Amino acid sequence: MSASAERRLDDRQRRAWLRLIRTENVGPTTFRDLINRFGSAEAALAELPELAHKGGAQRIRIPSEAEIDAELDAARRMNARFVAIGEAHYPPLLARADNPPPLIAAKGRLDLLREPTIAIVGARNASLAGVKLAQRLAVELGRQGYLVASGLARGIDAAAHRGSIETGTAAAMAGGLDRPYPPENDALFAEIAERGVVLSEMPFGWTPRARDFPRRNRIVAGMAYGLVVVEAAGRSGSLISARLANEMGRLVFAIPGSPLDPRAAGTNKLLKDGAILTTGADDILEAIAPLLGQVPPEREMEEPSDSLSAPPPGDDERARVLEALGPTPVGIDEIIRHTRLHPAQVSLILLELDLAGRLERHSGGSVSLLMGGL
């Protein structure tokens, strides 16, 4: 599909996409690889058992049609929708990030997701000054026409949402849309769901775990032109958001703070590492203004690759790829050069290992073999 054309899934395709992304060991990267290889989610679903078996797994868990019905029913009861990458209401910058979620569940004013976005994040145990500053920044950015995105956490996130509730705010969730967290922000969540927009890549009914919050942070960073860190301790989750934003080529802003305040340790470190020093909304607006409208092309989806030009890999080819892999991340191009195999063969073998739960993917496109798969 051309990046310039708008995608529109029919109900059958949307079900197949949902079933594929909810399948065991299928994440955004694997989803894209499967679609690009087999041309559709339905075709990919038919191939999964054999692919996983060749990767070394006895079986792979694919959600039943009844499970998909239940999740679609949960979305309807909540008046939420599943939006696919490339569709009109999918956040345009998130679609251009590395490995964006193929489907997001969203509720509220979905039209807001097309607006230029700035993310504001920070400490949960924020100071009163930090809360006031975050809320003021959100008010001023909202008045200038920006959607303000954050992660609904207590402290800075909640202040950013409250400051932009009148102009437009988006809350990305670590759990399912029906599992907002923390409970103390339930009322704020309900207000955003009516007046702003809430979104999640996780299944309905999913209670967030610690490992799910970086995925939420990736959405917050990926949908924005820039990410503002107001307060953050030295080991704050906000620093993960800043790192993800930097990896995606987004601008990172940081509010300086006193060296005596541990809540400023993270932001001061970001400034040392090159973040844009920020004391007010004008600093953010000035830096982002030249970027508006500069949206890179979306990566292709549903265009079969040149996989048919290469013979299917055999046991010898699989052994060569396994020999090249280990617990240390290595680039896929390096594997291709080392094994001297066709790129499509290497891609398929890695896909098999991924579906079998034996491969770990890292930022920058590198991969490693999980220790259990040695």
Side-chain angles (χ1 to χ4, degrees), residues 79 81 89 106-115 147 164-170 191-199:
N79 197 27
R81 287 175 49 190
H89 293 113
K107 172 179 169 58
R109 291 183 54 198
L110 272 62
D111 59 296
L112 290 173
L113 295 175
R114 303 294 301 178
E115 298 298 324
L147 174 70
S164 53
I165 196 75
E166 297 289 340
T167 54
T169 192
E191 187 174 9
I192 297 171
E194 292 300 322
R195 304 175 66 187
V197 60
V198 293
L199 63 152

Side-chain angles (χ1 to χ4, degrees), residues 321-341:
V321 171
L322 278 170
E323 185 180 353
L325 288 168
T328 303
V330 61
I332 295 175
D333 288 343
E334 295 178 75
I335 299 173
I336 294 170
R337 287 194 298 269
H338 177 76
T339 60
R340 298 183 180 179
L341 295 175

Side-chain angles (χ1 to χ4, degrees), residues 21 49 62 130 136 227 286 349 361 373:
I21 194 58
I62 303 172
R136 189 179 73 193
L227 179 132
E286 182 180 354
I349 294 167
R361 296 187 182 269

Side-chain angles (χ1 to χ4, degrees), residues 30 33 46 60 80 82 90 106 112 122 154 156 164 172 212 222 225 237 263 266 297 317 323 328 332 355 360 364:
T30 310
D33 288 347
I60 183 170
F82 286 101
Y90 195 97
L112 290 173
R154 64 176 66 92
I156 298 300
S164 53
D212 299 321
Y225 281 98
R263 290 169 294 201
E317 287 81 12
E323 185 180 353
T328 303
I332 295 175
L355 290 169
E360 184 173 3

Side-chain angles (χ1 to χ4, degrees), residues 117-121 147-151 160-161 164 168-172 219-220 223-224:
T117 303
I118 297 174
I120 299 177
V121 299
L147 174 70
V148 174
S150 197
H161 289 308
S164 53
T169 192
I219 291 178
V220 172
M223 63 190 292

